[in-house]
């Protein structure tokens, strides 16, 4: 005996209803999921744009503050240089004696040593001396430092090339002594010409970030 069962009309209608309900829901879910994915991608992209824009504004603000600070420092240095010139003028003219001073000149870049003999340098009637002791006063440079802060140096030209020897200074070396006897060479170890000496030999004032003995300074040379 074979028994054949047929679905009732009610069951057929129920199954068709389920299918007709499920298909649109699945389609709606797919559309919503795709829309959400696109919205998330757009939101992430816009968030990145806003973040980069904020970082750019912050960087521009920091750069602007640094630039303003640099300009203020340069103005102060030029003012300090004017004070140094006034002190020099009040003490008398710079002159060189017939008597020689012996120097062990140290290249500030290579640390190589050169023995040189130079005329003693006077300001008015006072020899600048060869003072390497911080606690012992040095003329001119210490007075400038007391009035304006920072450091001050008087250079003497060593040779025809234009190497510049520190004969009075309150810049200190790593051992704590005054950096007299160190010099700025015309030619750097890489063969380039020192921009400071290039400027001052042409009689120009030079305000610049420069390496001084053992560290970087914002400096004014004249």
């Amino acid at each position: 005996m074979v028994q054949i069962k047929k679905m009732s009309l009610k069951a057929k209608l129920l199954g068709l209803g389920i299918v007709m309900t499920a298909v649109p829901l699945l389609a709606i879910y797919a559309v919503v999921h795709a829309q959400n994915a696109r919205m998330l991608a757009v939101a992430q992209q816009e968030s990145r744009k806003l973040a980069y824009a904020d970082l750019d504004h912050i960087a521009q603000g920091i750069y602007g503050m640094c630039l303003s600070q640099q300009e203020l420092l340069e103005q102060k240095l030029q003012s300090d240089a004017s004070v140094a010139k006034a002190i020099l003028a009040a003490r008398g003219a710079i002159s060189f004696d017939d008597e020689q001073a012996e120097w062990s000149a140290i290249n500030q870049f290579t640390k190589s040593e050169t023995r040189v003999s130079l005329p003693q340098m006077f300001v008015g009637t006072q020899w600048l001396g060869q003072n390497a002791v911080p606690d012992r006063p040095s003329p001119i440079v210490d007075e400038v430092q007391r009035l304006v802060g920072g450091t001050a140096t008087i250079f003497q030209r060593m040779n025809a090339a234009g190497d510049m020897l520190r004969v009075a200074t309150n810049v200190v070396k790593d051992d704590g002594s005054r950096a007299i006897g160190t010099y700025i060479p015309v030619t750097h170890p890489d063969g380039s010409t020192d921009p400071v000496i290039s400027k001052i030999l042409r009689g120009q004032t030079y305000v610049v970030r420069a390496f001084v003995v053992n560290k970087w300074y914002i400096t004014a040379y004249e």
Side-chain angles (χ1 to χ4, degrees):
M1 182 177 63
V2 178
Q3 183 180 19
I4 299 175
K5 293 183 178 181
K6 293 184 180 180
M7 292 179 62
S8 67
L9 179 60
K10 182 177 180 180
K12 289 181 180 179
L13 290 174
L14 179 60
L16 181 61
I18 292 172
V19 171
M20 292 180 66
T21 301
V23 169
L25 287 175
L26 290 173
I28 291 170
Y29 172 79
V31 170
V32 169
H33 180 73
Q35 289 291 342
N36 285 341
R38 280 195 292 269
M39 289 175 62
L40 180 60
V42 170
Q44 290 175 339
Q45 184 178 8
E46 292 301 318
S47 296
R48 280 195 295 269
K49 287 181 180 179
L50 290 172
Y52 289 143
D54 286 343
L55 287 173
D56 188 51
H57 291 153
I58 292 170
Q60 289 178 2
I62 292 172
Y63 177 78
M65 288 190 295
C66 291
L67 189 61
S68 297
Q69 182 66 19
Q70 177 74 11
E71 291 173 353
L72 288 172
L73 283 173
E74 291 179 359
Q75 291 171 9
K76 184 180 186 303
L77 281 169
Q78 291 171 338
S79 175
D80 293 350
S82 297
V83 171
K85 286 191 292 183
I87 292 172
L88 279 169
R91 291 292 186 90
I94 293 175
S95 61
F96 298 93
D97 195 67
D98 292 335
E99 188 172 348
Q100 301 283 302
E102 299 296 323
W103 293 91
S104 175
I106 306 296
N107 185 312
Q108 71 171 20
F109 296 114
T110 65
K111 310 305 179 185
S112 61
E113 180 179 345
T114 303
R115 299 293 300 180
V116 293
S117 180
L118 300 174
Q120 292 182 355
M121 188 175 182
F122 280 75
V123 177
T125 60
Q126 186 176 18
W127 178 38
L128 292 178
Q130 292 177 305
N131 178 28
V133 181
D135 295 337
R136 184 189 306 156
S138 279
I140 311 299
V141 294
D142 286 353
E143 187 175 352
V144 172
Q145 188 175 44
R146 282 195 299 271
L147 290 175
V148 301
T151 60
T153 297
I154 296 176
F155 293 88
Q156 184 173 351
R157 186 169 178 164
M158 288 173 53
N159 48 39
D163 294 338
M164 294 292 174
L165 181 72
R166 292 179 177 87
V167 293
T169 187
N170 41 44
V171 173
V172 296
K173 297 187 292 187
D174 292 336
D175 63 6
S177 63
R178 295 178 188 260
I180 63 164
T182 60
Y183 72 93
I184 305 175
V186 172
T187 304
H188 286 199
D190 62 3
S192 62
T193 300
D194 188 88
V196 170
I197 294 181
S198 178
K199 286 278 188 179
I200 61 176
L201 289 180
R202 295 199 296 267
Q204 299 173 352
T205 299
Y206 195 36
V207 180
V208 68
R209 179 176 178 267
F211 186 78
V212 179
V213 182
N214 54 7
K215 64 181 67 173
W216 289 93
Y217 289 79
I218 302 298
T219 61
Y221 292 89
E222 184 170 349

